[in-house]
C-alpha cells in the first residue's frame, strides 16, 4: 500500500509544501519509516489507545510494513486503502480502519512523535 505510506507521512509532515510533494509519491516502506524517524516519531506497541497525531502501521510476519494511517482527533483516521489514483483518501472512524485491516498475519504498531 505504497500510497497509504505517502498519505500517512504527508499528514505527519508540518510543512504544507513538503506534505503536498510527499502525498503523491509511490513511497516504499523503508523511506516511509525513515521519514517518520526524521520527523521525531518512535515505535511503540499499540495498546489500543488513540493518540491523535500518531501513525498506525500494520506489519506482516516478516516485520515489513503493509499499510499505514494517520490518527486524527475524535477517533478518526486519515486512510487510503488502495494504491490506485482514483481510490480516494478517506477520513474514517478508526474502528472501521481497524476492522478493514484486521488480519491474523499483521501486527499493529504505533509511531508517536516525541
Amino acid at each position: 500500500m505504497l500510497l497509504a505510506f505517502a498519505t500517512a507521512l504527508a499528514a505527519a509532515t508540518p510543512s504544507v509544501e513538503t506534505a503536498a510533494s510527499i502525498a503523491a509519491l509511490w513511497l516504499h516502506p523503508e523511506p516511509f519509516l525513515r521519514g517518520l524517524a526524521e520527523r521525531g516519531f518512535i515505535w511503540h506497541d499499540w495498546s489500543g489507545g488513540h493518540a491523535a497525531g500518531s501513525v498506525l502501521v500494520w506489519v506482516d510476519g516478516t516485520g515489513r510494513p503493509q499499510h499505514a494511517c494517520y490518527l486524527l482527533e475524535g477517533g478518526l483516521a486519515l486512510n487510503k486503502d488502495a494504491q490506485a489514483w482514483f481510490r480516494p483518501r478517506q477520513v474514517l472512524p478508526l474502528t472501521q480502519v481497524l476492522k478493514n485491516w484486521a488480519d491474523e498475519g499483521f501486527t499493529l504498531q504505533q509511531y508517536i512523535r516525541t
Side-chain angles (χ1 to χ4, degrees):
M1 303 312 291
L2 305 174
L3 288 176
F5 298 143
T7 297
L9 187 61
T13 301
S15 163
V16 173
E17 293 82 15
T18 304
S21 69
I22 292 169
L25 292 176
W26 193 268
L27 195 60
H28 290 268
E30 295 78 11
F32 165 67
L33 293 174
R34 273 196 313 273
L36 287 178
E38 290 167 358
R39 288 158 181 75
F41 285 81
I42 59 170
W43 173 84
H44 292 271
D45 283 325
W46 189 65
S47 63
H50 179 274
S54 63
V55 176
L56 291 183
V57 179
W58 284 257
V59 297
D60 64 20
T62 69
R64 186 164 175 82
Q66 296 297 320
H67 185 67
C69 71
Y70 183 81
L71 299 184
L72 304 168
E73 296 286 337
L76 299 172
L78 176 63
N79 185 64
K80 181 160 178 45
D81 275 332
Q83 297 180 57
W85 65 268
F86 54 83
R87 293 293 304 258
R89 290 168 177 89
Q90 308 160 311
V91 174
L92 297 171
L94 177 57
T95 54
Q96 183 64 46
V97 178
L98 293 171
K99 180 181 173 185
N100 291 351
W101 282 91
D103 185 302
E104 290 182 18
F106 291 153
T107 302
L108 192 53
Q109 299 175 346
Q110 186 169 22
Y111 286 77
I112 299 173
R113 193 184 321 255
T114 57

